[in-house]
């Protein structure tokens, strides 16, 4: 179970960070105001990481399914961020509320991951807060390297978001399907 929690943290944090990079990179290249847009997008993302962490206490009975749902929404957001931005630009020009709304949602969901993971794993007492934070920061560097050196140049922004969003979703679904402890809890199977 603890490996699944760590994996969900890695993928969720990476998908949230990926959305931030996709939105900031695309928006700045579309409107050529690098410092302003990167700064405002990053500040909004960080603010809503804190808001998400704070609001996580409102989830009264967190579960692995709920945590996986958050990660799947983050992966979907990562995969659809660029089409949403393009739609926003077409309809509203460079109205900054569009990327900020994406940053707010991504940060809010991503900020909930570590507090929820800790509460879910509280019964097992095998999940380390330090390791969760390490995985959170590791996700940022891993997804940055994949984004920068593997995907962006050959695929462009839209396809990069789509590939990483689908890839992240597949990792979550496959890890849930193949985790025996999760299956036991979900389906109430007894140990044979």
């Amino acid at each position: 179970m603890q490996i699944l929690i760590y994996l969900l943290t890695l993928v969720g944090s990476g998908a949230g960070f990926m959305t931030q990079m996709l939105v900031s990179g695309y928006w700045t290249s579309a409107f050529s105001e690098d410092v302003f847009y990167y700064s405002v997008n990053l500040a909004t993302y960080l603010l809503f990481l804190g808001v998400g962490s704070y609001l996580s206490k409102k989830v009264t009975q967190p579960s692995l399914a709920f945590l996986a749902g958050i990660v799947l929404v983050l992966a979907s957001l990562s995969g659809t961020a660029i089409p949403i931005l393009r739609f926003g630009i077409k309809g509203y020009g460079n109205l900054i509320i569009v990327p900020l709304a994406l940053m707010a949602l991504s940060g809010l969901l991503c900020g909930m991951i570590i507090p929820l993971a800790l509460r879910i794993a509280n019964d097992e007492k095998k999940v380390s807060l330090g390791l969760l934070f390490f995985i959170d920061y590791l996700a940022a560097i891993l997804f940055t390297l994949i984004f920068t050196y593997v995907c962006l140049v050959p695929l462009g922004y839209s396809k990069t978001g789509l590939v990483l969003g689908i890839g992240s979703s597949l990792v979550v679904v496959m890890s849930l399907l193949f985790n025996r402890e999760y299956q036991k809890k979900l389906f109430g199977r007894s140990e044979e």
Side-chain angles (χ1 to χ4, degrees), residues 4-130:
L4 183 56
I5 289 172
Y6 289 137
L7 183 64
L8 290 173
T9 301
L10 178 77
V11 174
S13 298
F17 190 74
M18 179 60 53
T19 303
Q20 189 275 328
M21 289 191 333
L22 284 165
V23 169
S24 295
Y26 185 80
W27 200 258
T28 56
S29 61
F31 296 106
S32 301
E33 291 189 40
D34 296 357
V35 175
F36 174 73
Y37 287 125
Y38 262 107
S39 301
V40 172
N41 282 338
L42 184 58
T44 302
Y45 179 73
L46 293 174
L47 169 68
F48 278 89
L49 280 175
V51 172
S53 181
Y54 176 75
L55 291 178
S56 68
K57 68 181 182 178
K58 304 273 187 198
V59 180
T60 55
Q61 294 187 345
S63 65
L64 270 175
F66 185 77
L67 184 61
I70 288 175
V71 175
L72 286 172
V73 171
L74 280 164
S76 299
L77 189 60
S78 177
T80 59
I82 300 304
I84 291 170
L85 285 179
R86 285 187 175 150
F87 178 77
I89 290 170
K90 188 175 180 182
Y92 306 105
N94 67 345
L95 182 65
I96 195 151
I97 196 74
V98 177
L100 293 185
L102 288 169
M103 291 299 87
L105 180 58
S106 180
L108 181 80
L109 294 172
C110 205
M112 296 178 90
I113 291 174
I114 289 179
L116 290 177
L118 279 174
R119 287 176 50 206
I120 291 165
N122 196 25
D123 296 339
E124 295 184 28
K125 306 227 185 295
K126 293 178 185 172
V127 173
S128 159
L129 177 61

Side-chain angles (χ1 to χ4, degrees), residues 22 147 151-161:
L22 284 165
F147 172 80
C151 295
L152 187 60
V153 172
L155 300 177
Y157 281 103
S158 293
K159 289 179 184 171
T160 295

